[in-house]
Amino acid sequence: MKVQFLSTLFVSLAAAAAVQKRTNYGGYKVFRVAYGSDSSSVDNIVSSLSLQTWKAAAKNTGHVDVVVPPEQLEAFEEATADLETSVMHKNLGASIAQEEDFGVYIAGSANSTWFNSYHSYADHLTFLNDLKALRPSNSEIITAGTSVQGRPITGIHFWGSGGKGSKPAIVFHSTVHAREWITTMVNEYFAYTLLSGYTTDATIKSYVDKYDFYIFPVVNPDGFVYTQTNDRLWRKNRQTVSSSSCLGRDINRNWPYKWDVPGGSSTSPCAETYRGQAGGDAPETKGLSAHVNALANSAQGLKLFIDWHSYSQLFMTPYGYSCSARHPNDAELQSLARGVANAFAGPYGTRFQYGPICSTIYQATGSSVDYVADVSKGKYVFTAELRDTGTYGFVLPPSQIRPSALETWEGVKYLLANMK
């Protein structure tokens, strides 16, 4: 009895410790702070109060989105008294709780109700297997390496007439940044729509017969799991840094191309845009780049690569590392991006801006888009920032999943119909 009691006690203590580690955002608020043409005043406030930003100063925005804990609210309000502010989340903890009402997913029930809510990582893996079951002879579960903690980077590959690997590749990545949950759902919507509609929709059949699709809903599995168990707002992977107690590399600043160009990432391990100690030193980056390069170097080649992010409602082209450099195929990329942005607006009128990354949002070095464009030589390369523009930010209500997926699918259809 004594041994059993001690065992139960230790389990209880361990469970309590795990609960205590979870970041509680109850009472936190998220503000949008306007700064006009000079962000220095807001930057100084963020730095002096050690606040977290969701969206730092970016091109053509004139505002910063800031997370403020309860104990800093008074100081923040005093510091921003002369600035224009608006509230995005009155109680961030309550908004997160709404997102995390996952419900129960029953294996074998892949249908459109999946897109009514967010889901646990385990259920995402089950859903991918259920998608495979929709066309078992023309799809497979694939991996592109493993994460720091040993999780396979799991995706689904599917194809049409001609057999596996016989057509040019289309590759979609999402949840590169762990907190961007809407991208997981939207990317899965593409896979579900293409697989479920193959036998009933002639247009969808034509797309799947023309290309091999490789869709990876969660390319940062460790970070994604951490957002569900510990900190909903975690961004990076979970890799240790030898010189620091801070964890994680920004996988989208770690690709080994233009990795060390100044200004587009951070050398501080504690920063959310920490680039790592060397280009490509994150195992996730190694696995993903090897997979993309293998497809690009195949006889069929890499036709389209899109890296899906949130939020800001942007559809962007290379480059991130420079605001003056232009892709050799820039004119066609901009034409396609304009068409995609117009298509996004079709269902609900949602407006997306488009243009090169650096001049549209901010400088970003070591990004997947620049790497795939110039190293892998993918023909068409884009990155997107999905809903919204700041009403909800990263914590997008479940009611927004389906509209975001539907409007984004219209843009993807435009690309599939207009790429040469």
Side-chain angles (χ1 to χ4, degrees):
M1 287 292 293
K2 185 176 181 181
V3 172
Q4 182 179 1
F5 169 77
L6 289 174
S7 176
T8 303
L9 176 62
F10 289 146
V11 169
S12 299
L13 289 173
V19 170
Q20 288 173 356
K21 289 180 181 178
R22 185 173 178 81
T23 302
N24 178 9
Y25 286 101
Y28 280 61
K29 291 187 177 183
V30 184
F31 292 89
R32 170 156 288 181
V33 185
Y35 60 76
S37 60
D38 181 8
S39 67
S40 61
S41 59
V42 181
D43 293 339
N44 290 337
I45 293 169
V46 169
S47 176
S48 64
L49 297 179
S50 299
L51 299 176
Q52 179 187 0
T53 58
W54 276 6
K55 289 291 179 181
K59 306 282 185 180
N60 306 320
T61 63
H63 57 253
V64 176
D65 297 343
V66 184
V67 181
V68 184
E71 63 273 16
Q72 294 280 56
L73 280 172
E74 184 177 353
F76 175 80
E77 289 169 353
E78 288 180 1
T80 58
D82 295 329
L83 298 171
E84 180 184 343
T85 65
S86 57
V87 179
M88 295 168 59
H89 290 275
K90 293 181 180 179
N91 185 333
L92 182 56
S95 299
I96 290 172
Q98 182 187 17
E99 269 195 325
E100 292 179 336
D101 185 15
F102 293 156
V104 177
Y105 178 70
I106 301 172
S109 59
N111 58 58
S112 64
T113 62
W114 173 261
F115 303 99
N116 293 339
S117 63
Y118 295 103
H119 302 276
S120 70
Y121 179 64
D123 280 353
H124 282 290
L125 296 179
T126 302
F127 183 72
L128 281 183
N129 279 283
D130 289 345
L131 289 183
K132 178 185 180 300
L134 295 177
R135 296 188 66 231
S137 299
N138 293 79
S139 63
E140 62 182 354
I141 299 299
I142 56 174
T143 61
T146 57
S147 67
V148 170
Q149 297 175 345
R151 293 183 176 90
I153 300 172
T154 306
I156 187 167
H157 168 212
F158 51 93
W159 58 91
S161 62
K164 180 172 69 173
S166 63
K167 304 295 171 60
I170 289 177
V171 178
F172 291 166
H173 289 175
S174 56
T175 330
V176 178
H177 295 141
R179 60 194 176 190
E180 297 169 7
W181 287 10
I182 186 60
T183 68
T184 320
M185 302 301 299
V186 165
N187 212 2
E188 288 172 342
Y189 184 83
F190 303 147
Y192 169 76
T193 301
L194 290 162
L195 283 162
S196 64
Y198 182 81
T199 58
T200 58
D201 187 310
T203 301
I204 286 177
K205 184 178 186 301
S206 71
Y207 298 151
V208 181
D209 284 343
K210 189 174 183 180
Y211 301 109
D212 272 50
F213 288 83
Y214 301 81
I215 293 181
F216 291 86
V218 182
V219 302
N220 180 7
D222 298 346
F224 185 64
V225 169
Y226 194 76
T227 65
Q228 297 191 335
T229 60
N230 293 74
D231 185 349
R232 173 63 185 86
L233 300 182
W234 185 259
R235 170 184 167 102
K236 301 182 285 183
N237 74 355
R238 296 294 297 165
Q239 193 167 354
T240 59
V241 183
S242 59
S243 60
S244 174
S245 61
C246 294
L247 291 178
R249 284 154 170 73
D250 182 342
I251 297 173
N252 204 39
R253 300 295 187 276
N254 187 249
W255 289 65
Y257 177 69
K258 304 297 183 181
W259 169 81
D260 56 354
V261 172
S265 64
S266 177
T267 58
S268 169
C270 299
E272 291 195 325
T273 58
Y274 176 53
R275 68 189 189 188
Q277 294 174 306
D281 70 346
E284 295 87 352
T285 310
K286 291 177 183 177
L288 294 168
S289 61
H291 181 260
V292 169
N293 286 335
L295 294 174
N297 293 329
S298 69
Q300 293 73 34
L302 176 60
K303 176 67 75 168
L304 172 66
F305 174 86
I306 303 180
D307 195 3
W308 299 95
H309 291 264
S310 71
Y311 60 98
S312 285
Q313 293 174 199
L314 306 170
F315 194 73
M316 297 177 288
T317 63
Y319 295 107
Y321 76 88
S322 168
C323 289
S324 58
R326 288 291 180 268
H327 190 274
N329 198 30
D330 184 65
E332 186 179 8
L333 290 177
Q334 298 312 321
S335 177
L336 286 171
R338 180 172 58 253
V340 170
N342 289 335
F344 283 161
Y348 306 102
T350 309
R351 306 308 306 179
F352 278 67
Q353 297 181 49
Y354 69 92
I357 296 166
C358 186
S359 56
T360 303
I361 186 168
Y362 42 58
Q363 186 186 16
T365 53
S367 72
S368 62
V369 169
D370 290 356
Y371 180 96
V372 175
D374 281 10
V375 178
S376 306
K377 302 294 184 183
K379 184 169 183 180
Y380 299 109
V381 182
F382 302 96
T383 187
E385 296 276 353
L386 300 179
R387 287 192 180 196
D388 55 9
T389 57
T391 302
Y392 300 105
F394 294 121
V395 185
L396 200 67
S399 61
Q400 296 272 322
I401 296 171
R402 191 179 297 272
S404 186
L406 288 171
E407 69 195 10
T408 313
W409 170 238
E410 291 301 313
V412 169
K413 284 196 298 182
Y414 178 88
L415 278 177
L416 297 178
N418 289 278
M419 293 186 305
K420 296 177 182 178

